[in-house]
């Protein structure tokens, strides 16, 4: 069987694409590792999605997922390993070797946390090093932790952890923090966090579990040690595109290049929506909007194919 459309990803972009595809009566399949994508990592409430002045990530995902399921779309819970094109037909290979065929594809695979790439990161992953404050934060009750990075995600992590841990060090390798001013004000009021700028992380150390980190003070070039039990990595995200490398072009930041009018990539019938593409703003609402654009563009493309 050849589907009209296969959507890869169950985050805001993929879910919205699925809803729009089903409204156009497309025979669509959505393949995803999980539902919600990055919203699953959201440690504090969401306050910028219209209709909800304050909603938890879990609650918003539930609403998105229920809406999608009501459309009757077919869902495959799996990981896509490769996308190929043979003539006009796409072949989508999933874990385990099974494959699916479709006339059009939307890539909505979002992004994964950017690793630190310092000594000790891999060794202590799950033993003090974490990419998910929401999942692992409660393990650090009354302990001291470091957050690497100083953007919004890093400060939201600090806000969330301030109700759990004893002390938080926020390390920024540049001369100033990158988060919004309101996040800085909230963190200041907790009296639990110390921001250290010009701090380049060198190593994570420990025995069975993290015990300390070493960073270089870039002003003095001296190495310093901080005794911490946990390290939360918040230095940004990398687009998840390894399975489609031969069919698309990339920006300098490894995002998929698309036409902003229709989310089309350089391969006809292949669209990309949400954080995975070159769109400037990476937000839930922009991901949803791009998911809608991609699905409607796929519909137009399929109409012309007939
Ligand atoms: C900590 C944090 C807090 C945030 N807070 C906010 C906020 O308050 N407000 C806001 O608007 N935005 C916020 N964002 C940004 C927002 O979450 C993202 O912009 C949005 O989730 C992007 O949606 P997406 O669908 O493009 O990608 P993602 O959410 O990354 O979803 C990608 C989906 O693709 C799936 N996938 C990936 N690879 C594969 C594969 N090979 N095979 C199958 N499936 C795959 C994943 O499992 C996932 O379901 C936050 C992000 C983070 C990390």
């Amino acid at each position: 069987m050849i589907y009209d459309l296969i959507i890869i990803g169950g985050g805001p972009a993929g879910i919205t694409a699925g809803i729009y595809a089903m409204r156009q009566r497309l025979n669509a399949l959505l393949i995803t590792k999980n539902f919600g994508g990055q919203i699953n990592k959201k440690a504090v409430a969401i306050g910028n999605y219209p209709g909800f002045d304050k909603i938890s990530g879990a609650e918003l995902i539930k609403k998105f997922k229920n809406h999608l399921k009501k459309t009757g779309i077919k869902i495959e819970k799996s990981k896509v390993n490769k996308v190929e094109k043979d003539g006009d037909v796409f072949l989508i290979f999933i874990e385990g070797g099974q494959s699916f065929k479709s006339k059009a594809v939307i890539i909505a695979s979002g992004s994964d946390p950017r690793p630190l790439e310092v000594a000790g990161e891999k060794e202590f992953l799950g033993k003090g090093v974490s990419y998910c404050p929401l999942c692992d934060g409660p393990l650090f009750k009354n302990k001291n932790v470091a957050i690497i990075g100083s953007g919004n995600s890093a400060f939201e992590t600090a806000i969330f952890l301030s109700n759990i841990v004893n002390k938080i060090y926020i390390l920024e390798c540049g001369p100033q923090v990158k988060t919004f001013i309101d996040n800085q004000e909230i963190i200041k009021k907790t009296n639990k966090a110390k921001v250290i700028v010009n701090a380049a992380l060198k190593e994570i150390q420990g025995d069975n579990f993290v015990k300390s980190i070493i960073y270089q003070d870039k002003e003095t070039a001296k190495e310093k040690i901080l005794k911490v039990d946990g390290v939360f990595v918040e230095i940004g995200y990398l687009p998840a595109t390894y399975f489609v490398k031969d069919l698309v072009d990339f920006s300098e930041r490894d995002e998929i290049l698309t036409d902003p009018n229709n989310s089309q990539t350089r391969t006809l019938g292949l669209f990309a929506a949400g954080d995975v593409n070159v769109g400037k703003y990476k937000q839930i609402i922009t991901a949803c909007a791009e998911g809608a654009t991609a699905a409607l563009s796929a519909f137009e493309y399929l109409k012309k194919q007939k």
Side-chain angles (χ1 to χ4, degrees):
M1 147 142 104
I2 303 181
Y3 286 98
D4 292 328
L5 176 66
I6 290 182
I7 299 160
I8 302 168
I15 289 176
T16 311
I19 292 167
Y20 272 73
M22 295 308 281
R23 286 173 70 86
Q24 299 298 340
R25 306 282 186 268
L26 295 181
N27 180 17
L29 169 71
L30 185 142
I31 308 175
T32 189
K33 290 191 290 187
N34 67 31
F35 279 103
Q38 290 167 65
I39 305 179
N40 286 307
K41 302 199 179 84
K42 183 79 184 159
V44 297
I46 294 162
N48 59 358
Y49 196 77
F52 306 98
D53 57 351
K54 199 174 176 188
I55 185 165
S56 74
E59 191 60 21
L60 189 63
I61 294 167
K62 198 168 147 199
K63 287 183 185 293
F64 277 15
K65 199 166 123 184
N66 287 346
H67 188 170
L68 177 76
K69 285 198 166 164
K70 277 191 188 152
T71 67
I73 193 169
K74 291 193 190 72
I75 293 168
E76 180 76 31
K77 265 291 204 53
S78 187
K79 180 181 170 194
V80 171
N81 280 340
K82 181 112 187 110
V83 177
E84 287 175 2
K85 194 174 185 195
D86 184 11
D88 286 340
V89 175
F90 289 93
L91 294 159
I92 288 91
F93 298 90
I94 62 168
E95 234 168 19
Q98 199 185 347
S99 65
F100 298 94
K101 289 181 179 173
S102 67
K103 296 175 201 159
V105 171
I106 296 174
I107 307 160
S109 47
S111 45
D112 297 318
R114 184 186 290 274
L116 292 165
E117 285 166 8
V118 298
E121 178 183 25
K122 285 197 185 121
E123 187 186 344
F124 293 108
L125 185 60
K127 298 173 187 166
V129 174
S130 171
Y131 301 93
C132 184
L134 197 58
C135 329
D136 301 330
L139 303 173
F140 296 90
K141 196 163 171 52
N142 297 328
K143 301 206 166 168
N144 298 342
V145 299
I147 297 169
I148 314 302
S150 73
N152 288 335
S153 293
F155 268 72
E156 286 187 2
T157 294
I159 293 165
F160 171 70
L161 292 176
S162 66
N163 294 314
I164 301 169
V165 304
N166 174 54
K167 173 97 190 161
I168 303 164
Y169 299 99
I170 300 173
L171 268 70
E172 162 57 45
C173 67
Q176 56 201 31
V177 298
K178 296 177 181 141
T179 191
F180 297 142
I181 193 82
D182 52 346
N183 281 336
Q184 295 179 47
E185 283 167 7
I186 297 171
I187 266 304
K188 209 168 173 189
K189 281 190 198 143
T190 68
N191 280 326
K192 282 199 175 177
K194 180 175 178 193
V195 176
I196 309 174
V197 294
N198 289 316
L201 187 69
K202 292 287 166 198
E203 192 176 342
I204 300 168
Q205 297 182 324
D207 40 37
N208 292 329
F209 219 79
V210 169
K211 289 268 186 279
S212 59
I213 56 173
I214 295 177
Y215 70 93
Q216 185 189 44
D217 179 334
K218 285 163 86 178
E219 279 183 287
T220 62
K222 283 196 177 139
E223 290 204 338
K224 297 191 173 172
I225 186 160
L226 281 178
K227 296 218 172 301
V228 292
D229 308 286
V231 179
F232 288 87
V233 183
E234 295 289 353
I235 57 164
Y237 285 77
L238 289 172
T241 57
Y242 56 88
F243 54 86
V244 76
K245 288 215 178 297
D246 302 338
L247 298 177
V248 297
D249 293 324
F250 293 100
S251 72
E252 283 169 356
R253 292 186 301 184
D254 289 332
E255 301 151 316
I256 297 175
L257 291 177
T258 51
D259 178 338
N261 292 318
N262 59 9
S263 301
Q264 170 76 54
T265 68
R266 80 157 150 85
T267 299
L268 267 184
L270 182 63
F271 303 83
D275 279 18
V276 79
N277 82 12
V278 75
K280 185 170 173 191
Y281 300 107
K282 313 290 191 197
Q283 289 284 280
I284 299 166
I285 194 147
T286 51
C288 291
E290 288 171 13
T293 301
L296 294 174
S297 303
F299 175 67
E300 290 296 327
Y301 167 79
L302 291 164
K303 239 178 19 186
K304 283 185 199 144
Q305 293 293 99
K306 276 182 187 160

